[in-house]
Amino acid sequence: MSESMTLGESLRRRGISRRSFLKYCATMTSLMALSPAMGPVVAATLERIRRPSVIWLSFQECTGCTESLTRSHNPSLEGLIFDFLSLDYHHTLQAASGEAAEQAREEAMRENAGKYLVVVDGSVPLANKGYSTIAGKSNLDILQETLTGAAAVVAVGTCAAFGGLPKAKPNPTGAVAIADIVKDKPIINIPGCPPVPVVITGTLAHYLVFGRLPEMDQYRRPKAFFGTSIHDRCYRRPFYDKGLFAESFDDEGARKGWCLYQLGCKGPMTYNACAVLKWNDGTSWPVESGHGCLGCSEPEFWDAGGFYRELSVPIGQSTRTTAYAAVAGLVVGGAVGFMARTHRDTAKRAHEPVSVDQLEQKL
Amino acid sequence: MKDPMAFLLWVKGPAFDLALAVFIIGILLRILEILLPGRAPNYAEPRGGEWGPGFRTIVSRSMADSGTFQRAAFNVIVGYIWHLGFLISLLLFVPHIAVFASLSGMSWPGLPNPVIDGVTVITLGALLGMLVHRLRHPVMRFLSTFEDYLTWGVVFAVVFSGYLAYHRIINPYPLALGLHLLMVEVMLILFPFTKLMHAITFLFSRWYTGAIAGRKGVES
Amino acid sequence: MNELSFERGLNAWRAEIDAPVAAFFSSCVHCGICATACPFYVETGDPRYTPIHKLEPLRLLWEQEFTLWGRIKHALGLSPQITDEMLAKWEKLLYDSCTMCGRCSMVCPLGIDVAYMVRKAREGMVASGHAPEGLINASLRAVRIGSPMGLKFKTLQVQIQHVEKHTGLKIPVDQVGAEYLVLLSSMEIINFPEYLGAITRIFDQVGITWTLSSEAYEATNAGVQIGSSDIARQLVERVVKIAEKLGVKNVISPECGHAYTAIRWEGPNLIGRPYPFRVFHVIELIDQWRASGKLKTEGKESDRLTMHDPCNLARKSGVIQQQRQLMDLVAENFVDLKEHGRLQWCCGAGGGVSSNERAEELKMTAFKRKKAQIEEVSPERIVTMCATCRTQLEEGLEHYNMEIPVVGLTELIAEHLASKG
């Protein structure tokens, strides 16, 4: 429930020190790739604003995105965002349930019409609206209903951003990305399976400070966090460049921390901040713990050819194609070759001998 | 581009299957078109064999005799540089070896990436040199047709797009890699219907020449 | 169908397509290296003389009628129509600027046997009526008279009597049961009559039974030069018939290039069966006797000698070592041309070019390549084993004001036959 007091007042009420607040603002500033001079601006703005209402809709999702954001051992920077926002509806985090929860959502929508943020995780099924419902209402209906007074939409996680796992072949539920449905509201995608927690909070913080969504790439991802590839920031890159690759998960190369390209790492095609920000407060990230990047912040990553096959390998049906093509080639080639042979033999039989008398006519 | 990842997945997926199919069907078609007309029986008393000389010529024809070498030095030297460079970058670059392994089950060690990078640059230079030569040498200019320039362009595009992708000069990477694979697929599709087939048919033409000469007792 | 026609020409080409032709045309990458091996291109700089280009109409026919993709291209109008005009245009390329020497076939990096295909291309040219006048006349005379130069047996008889008188030896004619049937070339009989005397004396020393034939004395084959298997067959059959009638074991081809190719390699395929006799070039034969010790020589030439290998004998038939082994017998100062044997340069006159008056000037220009080879070595005399090559060498050297005598190898051997007793 939103309040009339400012964010600064609200924080002080909860016992969050000024020092923590400023540290948070400084961190957010650098994370958003803003110049350090912007730090005080961020702080001043956040101090003044009223906590915006956030309605978090969860559709065909695994709750991993929420887990990522909230899984912290001690109060973390990530978790602070919940102090900056008024999270008025969230299946996992809210205290209310059932009718009361739905009423809370409707009330927040009424009270903050035109100004609330809609955060979505999970994809929406279109093949049959009944595949995913909450309180009897389909995901699609809830989304469209909730959109009416939204200021902006934040699609958190690859499912919401691109369709994610439910959309993987054969996509039995007809799952689509949120951006496929939302056409007339500002929308931003924060993909990842799950997204790096501080990427979510940094993006939300940007919105809080500037009142608009940050600069996005062609997939509507914030460029600040998705502008460089894993490959370009990977600490194992020198091994790639030297051509030193681990070939199995426990061989010498693996133990020496060599590049994981041959074990299917999709780092070169993946744009995310994992290599820099890492996970669990900078503890580690997939490559550092010896597993190739899955490319989880990219569209269709589940159908991109397999997590353990190299990025360069074709992902279709090469073996079947080769077999059928070989048969077809032999049949067609055999026929055409035989026709050529016959054409020649016919001409041979049709040959009328040249005689000197005939030659003489040409003189 | 609106959806680089979809482009990459299409190029790596159905487009590759299509190109592979055309490539295989086309090559088998061309080979059978060549072999099935056969040879007329030869009743002249042979002076030598056919099989040995035929296979020997497949190898020996790779070396120009010294007189011809002097008269066509640029052609021979630069021709070899770009062919060898192309083959080295194709066969000894780890991501490429992965593709061959996925198609054939066979794998082999590669060269370090920076070595391949250097070889690629040399290959591109040699290719450009060959183009200039083709445009300037009276015989090559006279003989050359649209197909000669088209095949040059396709081969150059394959190597160049690979270079651009490796160095991430085109962004985002799915677009760069997708373009490289697309160029490869264009080459695979054009291969059986152009002079690119010589990469396979040279085995037959050299063998036949060696056999014809060998039967007459001539080293060829 | 009595007249030669464009349609008969195309049909002749269709009949010539085989797997090697298809492999060759599939493999050409337009590298132009074949041109560097052709004396006609090298001495004129005219790219139209590029060997593979001489075959373009044949290649078009193969592509448009024997390949699926070629048929599609042609149907879409992407491939030019082969016309009689095109064939007329190509006549000079295939006859005036090509001797079928095969050097291009030797250097092509793809292993394309261009000369093999030029021989086939000429089949279509003849059948469509696009062959040079000189070769047509040579064919007429060869078939009707028995010699491309119109030489009749009675003229040869005069030669025979002259040699018999001069050597005191008998020259057998129409001898049944002789071991060797010996053929002659009109060019030799007319221009280099010392050849007949030379072989008479050599055969006498070695002690073989041999014979000429009054009905089949001519070795040369205008049919092979003009490129008509039908005509070539008529000429070969004449020899085969006599050889079988006389029951000889071997047929000997004289100092000529294409005559050997015609009877040794093409002949059996023209008649569709293996011979019941063997065929040798006279040089092969004499070298066999050197190797077995039957040939006895004495003395050696002391002047600086070099050798011109006839293309049909060396590169196209593998007779390369034999002439050199014989030279070692009779020459103490022999030096090979730099590119000799299988890579030797054509004199420019073979394959019918010397019978083609229209090609005279071009032939002399092409000879400059040979001339350069000779100048590199600065010989006092040149030895060769083909009457056409010999004539071209003599005329060419005279044309360029070089005084280097040319001599036949058989004649040279005969001059050094060890005296009896």
Side-chain angles (χ1 to χ4, degrees):
Chain A
M1 182 154 315
S2 74
E3 299 160 14
S4 50
M5 72 176 88
T6 67
L7 186 75
E9 286 163 351
S10 158
L11 288 175
R12 279 188 290 280
R13 260 295 196 89
R14 270 108 156 272
I16 309 253
S17 72
R18 178 103 184 128
R19 174 182 288 232
S20 292
F21 171 65
L22 288 173
K23 195 164 135 197
Y24 182 81
C25 293
T27 310
M28 282 300 125
T29 304
S30 81
L31 275 175
M32 288 187 280
L34 300 170
S35 115
M38 289 295 291
V41 177
V42 172
T45 312
L46 286 179
E47 164 81 45
R48 272 201 320 271
I49 59 169
R50 303 212 176 265
R51 290 168 62 198
S53 166
V54 172
I55 296 176
W56 187 301
L57 302 176
S58 297
F59 297 143
Q60 294 191 130
E61 42 77 55
C62 68
T63 312
C65 298
T66 299
E67 290 288 337
S68 170
L69 199 46
T70 60
R71 196 54 46 215
S72 46
H73 308 292
N74 20 39
S76 64
L77 289 169
E78 293 91 328
L80 271 179
I81 194 65
F82 292 116
D83 298 306
F84 286 49
L85 306 166
S86 177
L87 192 57
D88 294 331
Y89 181 83
H90 188 299
H91 292 168
T92 318
L93 299 176
Q94 67 195 30
S97 64
E99 295 280 357
E102 295 307 306
Q103 270 165 25
R105 175 170 67 81
E106 283 152 18
E107 201 185 306
M109 282 167 67
R110 264 198 315 279
E111 280 184 17
N112 301 283
K115 291 195 291 231
Y116 58 87
L117 264 185
V118 174
V119 177
V120 187
D121 63 346
S123 59
V124 172
L126 292 186
N128 185 321
K129 301 204 293 187
Y131 277 130
S132 179
T133 64
I134 296 140
K137 281 198 189 145
S138 74
N139 291 170
L140 181 63
D141 291 340
I142 295 175
L143 178 62
Q144 282 167 341
E145 188 188 293
T146 312
L147 276 177
T148 47
V153 179
V154 181
V156 168
T158 301
C159 290
F162 301 127
L165 177 57
K167 196 180 174 197
K169 287 197 178 84
N171 194 357
T173 67
V176 298
I178 303 307
D180 290 337
I181 299 168
V182 175
K183 295 298 175 195
D184 54 2
K185 298 277 179 186
I187 178 168
I188 189 166
N189 289 325
I190 307 179
C193 190
V196 175
V198 77
V199 170
I200 303 175
T201 58
T203 307
L204 290 172
H206 186 288
Y207 183 80
L208 292 183
V209 171
F210 297 103
R212 57 173 167 78
L213 298 171
E215 210 183 328
M216 302 182 273
D217 70 5
Q218 80 270 67
Y219 285 123
R220 290 202 154 90
R221 303 177 294 197
K223 273 190 179 164
F225 299 107
F226 295 91
T228 50
S229 64
I230 300 295
H231 187 67
D232 284 339
R233 293 284 182 270
C234 179
Y235 79 105
R236 296 196 181 193
R237 180 69 178 273
F239 293 110
Y240 171 89
D241 288 338
K242 283 208 201 85
L244 294 168
F245 301 101
E247 288 174 36
S248 74
F249 280 115
D250 60 356
D251 71 0
E252 187 206 354
R255 268 179 257 127
K256 284 191 171 154
W258 289 354
C259 173
L260 299 168
Y261 186 92
Q262 290 193 290
L263 289 168
C265 180
K266 303 296 185 295
M269 76 172 203
T270 307
Y271 291 81
N272 206 340
C274 320
V276 174
L277 298 177
K278 303 205 222 180
W279 295 83
N280 295 324
D281 263 344
T283 302
S284 185
W285 62 294
V287 171
E288 194 175 324
S289 51
H291 193 287
C293 166
L294 302 181
C296 74
S297 55
E298 303 303 311
E300 322 293 335
F301 83 93
W302 293 99
D303 296 323
F307 296 144
Y308 303 103
R309 289 214 289 179
E310 293 94 331
L311 175 55
S312 54
V313 168
I315 62 178
Q317 313 228 2
S318 312
T319 315
R320 218 169 65 146
T321 303
T322 304
Y324 285 154
V327 171
L330 287 171
V331 169
V332 172
V336 172
F338 182 72
M339 271 163 53
R341 191 191 178 92
T342 308
H343 189 52
R344 189 272 315 281
D345 290 342
T346 307
K348 250 195 174 137
R349 279 192 302 270
H351 177 76
E352 299 228 355
V354 168
S355 73
V356 287
D357 295 332
Q358 290 163 2
L359 270 181
E360 197 174 29
Q361 287 173 11
K362 289 292 167 182
L363 283 173
Chain B
M1 171 173 267
K2 234 183 59 145
D3 197 346
M5 190 57 73
F7 172 63
L8 175 63
L9 295 180
W10 174 78
V11 166
K12 276 213 290 183
F16 183 80
D17 284 341
L18 175 70
L20 186 65
V22 172
F23 182 71
I24 291 172
I25 292 174
I27 286 181
L28 288 171
L29 162 71
R30 293 298 309 268
I31 290 177
L32 289 169
E33 260 177 1
I34 288 172
L35 294 179
L36 285 178
R39 286 192 292 164
N42 196 336
Y43 299 112
E45 181 193 329
R47 200 200 283 282
E50 286 198 330
W51 284 95
F55 284 114
R56 212 169 315 134
T57 299
I58 288 177
V59 175
S60 68
R61 218 34 102 83
S62 298
M63 289 160 291
D65 62 275
S66 70
T68 303
F69 177 78
Q70 274 160 35
R71 288 171 190 277
F74 188 95
N75 219 327
V76 174
I77 293 174
V78 182
Y80 261 119
I81 291 177
W82 94 254
H83 272 93
L84 289 173
F86 182 85
L87 287 171
I88 290 173
S89 343
L90 172 66
L91 297 173
L92 298 179
F93 181 52
V94 169
H96 292 163
I97 297 172
V99 176
F100 289 118
S102 82
L103 293 173
S104 70
M106 289 189 294
S107 180
W108 52 87
L111 287 176
N113 294 351
V115 172
I116 300 290
D117 192 36
V119 168
T120 303
V121 171
I122 293 171
T123 304
L124 289 169
L127 276 170
L128 286 167
M130 290 307 284
L131 179 66
V132 169
H133 190 60
R134 184 171 283 285
L135 289 166
R136 287 174 44 139
H137 190 287
V139 171
M140 289 182 91
R141 191 173 56 233
F142 176 75
L143 290 176
S144 298
T145 63
F146 171 73
E147 193 194 290
D148 292 299
Y149 297 109
L150 174 70
T151 50
W152 181 91
V154 165
V155 170
F156 189 83
V158 165
V159 183
F160 191 52
S161 62
Y163 179 83
L164 293 177
Y166 177 76
H167 285 283
R168 306 174 78 87
I169 292 173
I170 293 180
N171 282 302
Y173 186 74
L175 174 63
L177 181 59
L179 281 173
H180 176 57
L181 292 180
L182 186 65
M183 293 299 102
V184 171
E185 285 156 22
V186 168
M187 191 175 92
L188 288 176
I189 289 175
L190 287 180
F191 187 99
F193 308 107
T194 58
K195 74 180 197 188
L196 291 178
M197 266 304 283
H198 81 277
I200 294 177
T201 62
F202 86 98
L203 293 167
F204 299 108
S205 56
R206 284 185 182 182
W207 190 91
Y208 279 128
T209 287
I212 290 169
R215 201 175 183 283
K216 294 192 276 183
V218 184
E219 231 184 72
S220 138
Chain C
M1 229 193 273
N2 273 316
E3 254 190 47
L4 299 176
S5 69
F6 176 62
E7 202 36 62
R8 281 178 74 184
L10 292 182
N11 197 67
W13 276 354
R14 287 181 195 117
E16 289 299 325
I17 303 298
D18 60 8
V21 170
F24 297 149
F25 282 140
S26 299
S27 302
C28 177
V29 296
H30 289 160
C31 74
I33 287 180
C34 54
T36 67
C38 178
F40 292 91
Y41 167 73
V42 168
E43 294 304 330
T44 61
D46 189 338
R48 288 174 308 145
Y49 298 143
T50 302
I52 196 69
H53 178 66
K54 295 165 184 166
L55 296 170
E56 183 59 15
L58 178 64
R59 190 199 68 79
L60 281 171
L61 180 104
W62 163 80
E63 189 186 76
Q64 292 171 4
E65 297 193 14
F66 289 84
T67 71
L68 178 61
W69 175 236
R71 284 207 288 275
I72 294 172
K73 267 209 300 190
H74 189 52
L76 292 173
L78 296 170
S79 189
Q81 195 71 18
I82 305 168
T83 60
D84 198 54
E85 285 74 44
M86 190 189 281
L87 265 51
K89 205 168 130 198
W90 250 259
E91 188 190 309
K92 284 202 181 129
L93 295 184
L94 282 166
Y95 286 104
D96 299 23
S97 71
C98 181
T99 57
M100 298 192 290
C101 81
R103 200 163 191 283
C104 49
S105 308
M106 229 11 126
V107 311
C108 171
L110 281 309
I112 296 171
D113 194 340
V114 177
Y116 173 83
M117 292 195 283
V118 170
R119 172 67 184 87
K120 286 171 172 283
R122 287 187 180 184
E123 293 282 342
M125 300 300 282
V126 176
S128 61
H130 291 293
E133 195 180 307
L135 282 173
I136 294 178
N137 282 320
S139 302
L140 295 182
R141 290 189 292 258
V143 169
R144 292 175 180 162
I145 300 172
S147 140
M149 296 175 81
L151 182 131
K152 295 205 168 95
F153 184 67
K154 58 180 196 279
T155 313
L156 176 56
Q157 264 179 324
V158 171
Q159 282 279 348
I160 291 170
Q161 279 154 20
H162 182 82
V163 170
E164 283 179 329
K165 192 158 130 206
H166 189 74
T167 61
L169 298 166
K170 186 86 177 66
I171 293 180
V173 178
D174 299 332
Q175 200 81 274
V176 177
E179 208 183 333
Y180 296 87
L181 170 65
V182 173
L183 305 173
L184 301 168
S185 81
S186 294
M187 183 79 98
E188 238 163 16
I189 297 167
I190 293 170
N191 284 357
F192 312 113
E194 54 274 12
Y195 175 76
L196 186 53
I199 56 171
T200 304
R201 290 173 48 228
I202 293 171
F203 292 170
D204 174 68
Q205 197 210 63
V206 175
I208 49 140
T209 59
W210 63 288
T211 184
L212 298 176
S213 161
S214 59
E215 292 169 68
Y217 49 87
E218 181 65 52
T220 67
N221 196 313
V224 162
Q225 291 184 327
I226 202 175
S228 165
S229 294
D230 302 315
I231 308 240
R233 182 178 305 115
Q234 287 183 274
L235 300 173
V236 167
E237 268 171 350
R238 193 178 282 163
V239 172
V240 174
K241 208 173 85 184
I242 293 298
E244 288 177 328
K245 185 168 133 197
L246 296 176
V248 299
K249 295 212 184 65
N250 309 279
V251 172
I252 306 303
S253 194
E255 283 191 339
C256 178
H258 82 276
Y260 182 63
T261 306
I263 189 128
R264 177 68 175 86
W265 302 116
E266 280 203 37
N269 298 319
L270 291 170
I271 65 174
R273 59 183 171 91
Y275 295 146
F277 49 83
R278 302 190 73 191
V279 175
F280 296 106
H281 187 273
V282 62
I283 294 303
E284 270 186 289
L285 184 62
I286 299 177
D287 187 65
Q288 281 167 18
W289 293 330
R290 173 205 61 81
S292 66
K294 287 208 188 123
L295 181 74
K296 308 255 184 285
T297 60
E298 61 191 10
K300 291 194 180 191
E301 302 294 317
S302 58
D303 58 343
R304 188 172 164 83
L305 296 173
T306 191
M307 177 180 287
H308 165 77
D309 289 297
C311 303
N312 273 300
L313 188 59
R315 179 168 36 252
K316 294 178 74 178
S317 298
V319 179
I320 298 172
Q321 290 316 309
Q322 290 88 329
Q323 52 267 41
R324 285 163 175 79
Q325 280 151 190
L326 288 173
M327 279 305 282
D328 281 343
L329 271 188
V330 298
E332 60 184 30
N333 190 0
F334 168 63
V335 55
D336 250 320
L337 297 173
K338 192 161 135 206
E339 285 174 301
H340 60 272
R342 50 182 273 270
L343 282 169
Q344 80 95 22
W345 286 88
C346 181
C347 66
V353 172
S354 61
S355 308
N356 179 0
E357 297 90 16
R358 182 181 66 200
E360 181 66 33
E361 200 185 317
L362 187 54
K363 183 177 65 130
M364 270 305 136
T365 307
F367 177 74
K368 284 160 73 179
R369 186 76 280 276
K370 197 76 222 172
K371 169 172 158 297
Q373 273 207 298
I374 295 167
E375 280 167 340
E376 248 181 339
V377 152
S378 299
E380 289 172 78
R381 281 190 295 164
I382 302 171
V383 181
T384 190
M385 309 121 252
C386 163
T388 303
C389 295
R390 191 163 159 188
T391 305
Q392 166 77 336
L393 285 165
E394 288 179 352
E395 287 179 0
L397 289 167
E398 193 191 309
H399 181 86
Y400 291 104
N401 296 317
M402 290 165 74
E403 293 204 22
I404 305 177
V406 186
V407 62
L409 180 55
T410 305
E411 182 193 328
L412 201 60
I413 302 281
E415 277 170 21
H416 287 273
L417 280 175
S419 34
K420 293 190 182 168

